[in-house]
Amino acid sequence: MQAMIPRYDMYAFIHKALRAFMTDTLLSMGRMDCEDDADTAVTLGQVRGLLEMCRAHLDHENRFVHTAMDARAPGSADRAEKEHREHLRVIDLLETDVFAVEHSHGEKREHAAGQLYRQLAVFVAENLEHMQMEETDNNRVLWALYTDEELRAIEGAIVASQPPEKMIATLRWMLPALNPSERGLLIGGMRQGMPAEAFHGMLEVLRPLLGSGDWCKLERVLA
Ligand SMILES: [Fe+2]
């Protein structure tokens, strides 16, 4: 019976956001027009935004999630920690690749953009496998060591550590990536922790992120 009761998955929503941001950015990088400076600037800006979010995500998991795992099962976060160190190294290399595209022209830019596109694809592939490991192996450890209430508190501490503009940047990818019932849980939860005026202001910021059909579903869930 125990196995049939779903446990709280603190990775679920943020990893959906990251998968969406990563794959969208990879596609954008693949179709970037190197001869169009404006398109190149926008696309490279998105790549930089992705790398920044990935770096922040690694920091959150290291400081809050791995610390919690190691506190009750020393060494249980070792594999994830090791993979995070490698991801940080690759993020630095990708930033160097972005700079190389930015500061080149003509054929050299085409070549540098192709290099960045392929290296980004490998980074995305590694992250997709890494997130699967976290959602299975790390969750198995977390569920054995912590109650759902404690897991929600750890996630709450991560959210509270971020400034509002970072939260909005995350929601920009998270909200469209979730299914309607998950959106209801996310936004409904935020409503409980905010003054009504601030909540409605935030809804207006989020509204353009969803098509009208999905927005109606969200309003129905919130009502
Ligand atoms: Fe991770």
Side-chain angles (χ1 to χ4, degrees):
M1 275 308 285
Q2 196 88 44
M4 293 170 69
I5 302 168
R7 294 293 313 272
Y8 186 65
D9 181 359
M10 67 161 80
Y11 291 109
F13 289 10
I14 187 63
H15 279 183
K16 275 196 171 182
L18 283 170
R19 288 184 183 102
F21 199 176
M22 284 177 183
T23 49
D24 186 89
T25 306
L26 182 62
L27 290 175
S28 299
M29 193 57 227
R31 60 179 165 241
M32 186 179 84
D33 180 357
C34 285
E35 291 173 16
D36 180 338
D37 283 345
D39 183 43
T40 300
V42 168
T43 307
L44 295 181
Q46 182 170 334
V47 177
R48 278 213 173 90
L50 171 67
L51 298 176
E52 190 187 317
M53 190 185 285
C54 287
R55 199 182 263 127
H57 178 67
L58 292 171
D59 179 58
H60 295 149
E61 287 185 346
N62 289 345
R63 284 196 295 134
F64 294 92
V65 183
H66 297 175
T67 307
M69 290 167 71
D70 280 333
R72 294 190 185 174
S76 60
D78 282 0
R79 177 177 170 191
E81 285 278 338
K82 184 167 171 255
E83 292 186 12
H84 281 192
R85 282 196 293 277
E86 175 60 13
H87 290 174
L88 285 172
R89 188 185 72 79
V90 175
I91 287 170
D92 286 345
L93 291 176
L94 287 168
E95 282 177 338
T96 307
D97 289 343
V98 170
F99 187 87
V101 179
E102 246 169 5
H103 292 82
S104 56
H105 300 280
E107 267 181 38
K108 279 192 176 156
R109 177 177 274 181
E110 292 281 357
H111 178 78
Q115 168 86 359
L116 172 57
Y117 171 68
R118 289 187 301 276
Q119 293 305 322
L120 185 62
V122 174
F123 178 69
V124 170
E126 282 171 354
N127 271 273
L128 293 177
E129 291 202 12
H130 173 81
M131 288 189 278
Q132 169 67 4
M133 180 276 289
E134 290 177 324
E135 288 174 39
T136 53
D137 298 352
N138 282 13
N139 264 340
R140 200 175 301 120
V141 172
L142 288 163
W143 292 337
L145 301 173
Y146 290 90
T147 65
D148 282 358
E149 201 179 328
E150 288 173 316
L151 295 176
R152 286 178 200 278
I154 293 168
E155 191 186 30
I158 295 174
V159 173
S161 74
Q162 295 179 74
E165 65 272 16
K166 295 285 178 203
M167 283 304 303
I168 293 289
T170 302
L171 285 171
R172 183 253 173 274
W173 290 102
M174 187 182 285
L175 196 63
L178 301 181
N179 66 40
S181 67
E182 291 171 334
R183 286 187 201 123
L185 285 173
L186 176 71
I187 303 299
M190 293 175 81
R191 177 166 60 181
Q192 286 178 353
M194 290 173 86
E197 205 175 315
F199 176 72
H200 285 107
M202 185 195 71
L203 278 189
E204 285 314 304
V205 174
L206 299 179
R207 196 187 184 106
L209 299 177
L210 295 181
S212 57
D214 278 335
W215 190 260
C216 285
K217 284 181 185 173
L218 179 60
E219 282 185 327
R220 269 206 299 279
V221 174
L222 291 176

